[in-house]
Amino acid sequence: MEMTHIEYDAVVVGSGPNGLAAAITLQHAGVRTLLLEAKATIGGGLRTEELTLPGFRHDVCSAIHPMAVASPFLQSLPLEKFGLEYIHPPVCVAHPLDHGDAALLYRSLNRTATLLQQDSINYHKLYDPLVRHWPDIAADTLGPLSIPAHPLRMAQFGLRAITPATNLSKKFETEKAKALWAGIAAHAITPLSSVASSAIGLVLTIAAHTTGWPLPKGGSVSIAHAMANYFESLGGKIETNTPIEKLSQLPSSRAVLFDLSPRRLLGIAGHRFSDTYRRQLSRYRYGPGIFKADWALDAPIPFTNEGCRQAGTVHIGGTLQEIAFSENETGHGRHTERPFILLAQQSLFDPSRTPQGKHTAYAYCHVPNGSTRDYTEIIETHIEHHAPGFKERILARHTMDTAALETYNANYIGGDIIGGAADIRQLFTRPALRSSSYRTSAKGLYLCSASTPPGGGVHGLCGFHAAKRALRDMFPERSKK
């Protein structure tokens, strides 16, 4: 479609959760906004497709959404009026251990602590104040660096967040509590010995005890559809099948926001940037990738532990020491025979995902960036260890290595699904150390992807904060709306 003569106040390139969030924020402020998507369908990491057999609907990337329901921005939108419904499994996270035991994370903090027995008091000491004060610090925790509204409470969180996860684990005495913590901290996809490796684990655990770890009915694509429908109800416009390779392809506008990786942004607009900013983006570091598998199953996964059969998310990685070793190996570019595995069982709680009586399962493990190794057998064998008979229930499988993931979404550089290494150097100042992480060095051009604070996850906050910055800079008359 010829669009060179179509003018908008703002254009957003990329329709992942952050691109959708940016577009909604701009349009809600009265800024006429066009959202462009390269592929035939919107969503980025929010897509659900029949990857294995007809009638079996699998989440292509994101699956379980604690940050979506914890996000102050997404929860401010009337998405339920546009068809979005969340389902809460009885158990947020299960972490199977040997001999049929498992650590279980419930929405109830008290129930979780009680089941940790010897570590019950320790668990309460760590999380009670963080959960109680979360409403006061959520906005500051999930945004760019700024002066916090509640400095003392933010400091209480911050001191723990910048502690290596291996050190924070010393607050617990039992292997069960330490393993549960290690599995949640490993969502950061960074060595557990790294400074700030606790930040994401703390936020995810607080989310579990405040708003839960739900899955969207019908698949992750339901979030994208609800956001897109809301954006269009505000008067916004969406164009799919519109890949952007250079700025000249865009219609004229006062602002352009890119839901893209720094590498892709350089390819499109690098000629407009200062030498310093161009150099900063070229040095941006990407983290480990993932190897992902989806299965069509004849029956649910037969986990030995009953709690695992009630969990939306299952962490398979063994003890704290085993997870720390595998995450360190992966973080340093080495393969391991015992990778940390994240598994989701959406069809147990959402029968719309499969034909009657059948099931799906979803899992991925962390691998070195750019890895081409096939981890199918390793993943299935580790699941089988905790669920004897799992392999016999597989009707079909679909796998994606890091190259396939980057083909699916060009922002997943080397299979990195969280937009860049999440270490202390890039956690709060991504993609470059500037007065605003969202501004580029070219007036009117902004970055709104997961490569900006607060980083990866389906929360829309990168897009929201980038759009707020663009409003203050380019549309001051509408920035307070």
Side-chain angles (χ1 to χ4, degrees):
M1 178 180 290
E2 178 62 40
M3 296 191 297
T4 56
H5 301 297
I6 300 175
E7 295 186 352
Y8 294 87
D9 294 328
V11 176
V12 178
V13 179
S15 70
N18 288 309
L20 286 162
I24 288 170
T25 303
L26 292 166
Q27 190 68 39
H28 188 265
V31 174
R32 293 181 303 114
T33 304
L34 170 67
L35 178 61
L36 300 177
E37 168 56 43
K39 294 187 177 292
T41 59
I42 63 163
L46 293 172
R47 290 192 174 99
T48 306
E49 300 176 2
E50 294 182 342
L51 298 176
T52 55
L53 298 173
F56 290 81
R57 293 179 56 77
H58 305 271
D59 291 322
V60 183
C61 186
S62 63
I64 307 297
H65 293 280
M67 294 313 300
V69 291
S71 167
F73 169 71
L74 288 182
Q75 291 312 298
S76 73
L77 307 181
L79 298 183
E80 70 283 353
K81 295 181 181 178
F82 294 86
L84 180 59
E85 179 182 341
Y86 286 109
I87 299 171
H88 288 265
V91 178
C92 294
V93 178
H95 190 119
L97 300 165
D98 287 338
H99 310 298
D101 197 7
L104 304 177
L105 177 69
Y106 286 90
R107 189 165 178 179
S108 166
L109 191 156
N110 188 58
R111 186 176 185 184
T112 303
T114 299
L115 290 175
L116 291 175
Q117 298 176 328
Q118 187 178 336
D119 270 311
S120 178
I121 293 175
N122 297 327
Y123 196 87
H124 275 292
K125 283 182 178 179
L126 176 60
Y127 287 113
D128 277 353
L130 298 178
V131 169
R132 186 168 60 252
H133 297 148
W134 181 244
D136 295 330
I137 65 172
D140 290 314
T141 303
L142 300 175
L145 285 175
S146 61
I147 298 174
H150 298 272
L152 293 180
R153 290 175 181 176
M154 189 64 186
Q156 185 180 40
F157 171 83
L159 290 174
R160 290 165 173 78
I162 62 171
T163 301
T166 48
N167 287 8
L168 198 63
S169 72
K170 295 175 183 177
K171 291 185 176 293
F172 302 118
E173 299 175 24
T174 64
E175 289 303 318
K176 180 181 287 189
K178 290 179 179 181
L180 178 64
W181 163 244
I184 299 171
H187 279 254
I189 318 184
T190 192
L192 301 191
S193 57
S194 299
V195 176
S197 56
S198 292
I200 291 174
L202 287 172
V203 169
L204 288 173
T205 307
I206 294 168
H209 293 315
T210 53
T211 49
W213 279 40
L215 55 108
K217 184 177 181 180
S220 293
V221 71
S222 300
I223 301 176
H225 285 168
M227 293 179 74
N229 290 338
Y230 177 57
F231 170 62
E232 290 180 321
S233 77
L234 297 173
K237 185 175 181 181
I238 299 174
E239 294 282 354
T240 57
N241 291 310
T242 311
I244 301 299
E245 304 295 337
K246 50 188 178 180
L247 289 178
S248 60
Q249 293 175 264
L250 298 173
S252 60
S253 65
R254 291 170 62 184
V256 183
L257 286 78
F258 296 91
D259 185 9
L260 305 176
S261 70
R263 185 176 299 179
R264 290 194 64 206
L265 178 62
L266 273 173
I268 294 172
H271 63 286
R272 289 279 303 277
F273 299 152
S274 67
D275 291 343
T276 298
Y277 188 65
R278 206 162 40 237
R279 186 164 53 251
Q280 288 176 316
L281 292 190
S282 68
R283 292 176 177 174
Y284 186 72
R285 293 173 296 107
Y286 296 91
I290 68 167
F291 180 94
K292 179 175 179 284
D294 289 279
W295 298 275
L297 301 174
D298 194 41
I301 299 176
F303 281 110
T304 302
N305 185 274
E306 172 63 25
C308 294
R309 297 197 293 270
Q310 299 179 26
T313 300
V314 181
H315 292 159
I316 298 175
T319 65
L320 164 71
Q321 291 77 13
E322 289 170 324
I323 295 172
F325 176 79
S326 66
E327 290 300 284
N328 183 71
E329 291 294 286
T330 301
H332 288 89
R334 297 186 289 266
H335 291 93
T336 173
E337 299 303 310
R338 292 182 60 86
F340 176 65
I341 299 167
L342 297 95
L343 182 146
Q345 309 181 100
Q346 301 94 315
S347 64
L348 286 181
F349 316 102
D350 182 4
S352 72
R353 305 292 186 98
T354 61
Q356 186 173 3
K358 306 301 180 183
H359 284 275
T360 62
Y362 155 122
Y364 66 82
C365 68
H366 299 160
V367 300
N369 190 282
S371 168
T372 58
R373 183 173 179 178
D374 187 335
Y375 266 83
T376 305
E377 179 60 28
I378 288 176
I379 291 175
E380 292 181 357
T381 296
H382 286 306
I383 297 172
E384 180 83 15
H385 176 72
H386 297 288
F390 164 68
K391 293 183 179 181
E392 298 174 4
R393 301 186 176 190
I394 298 173
L395 300 173
R397 66 173 61 80
H398 176 274
T399 63
M400 300 174 76
D401 64 10
T402 63
L405 283 157
E406 189 170 344
T407 298
Y408 159 73
N409 187 330
N411 290 324
Y412 297 160
I413 307 297
D416 177 351
I417 59 172
I418 63 171
D423 56 24
I424 191 63
R425 291 165 56 192
Q426 292 192 163
L427 187 60
F428 301 107
T429 59
R430 52 207 286 142
L433 183 59
R434 297 171 57 79
S435 60
S436 170
S437 299
Y438 312 101
R439 281 194 193 120
T440 71
S441 62
K443 184 178 180 180
L445 301 186
Y446 297 84
L447 187 62
C448 68
S449 70
S451 298
T452 61
V458 177
H459 42 62
L461 289 162
C462 307
F464 168 74
H465 290 300
K468 285 294 189 181
R469 180 72 267 168
L471 286 170
R472 289 192 293 271
D473 292 346
M474 309 303 294
F475 309 94
E477 72 282 1
R478 302 175 188 175
S479 64
K480 297 186 183 300
K481 183 171 180 179

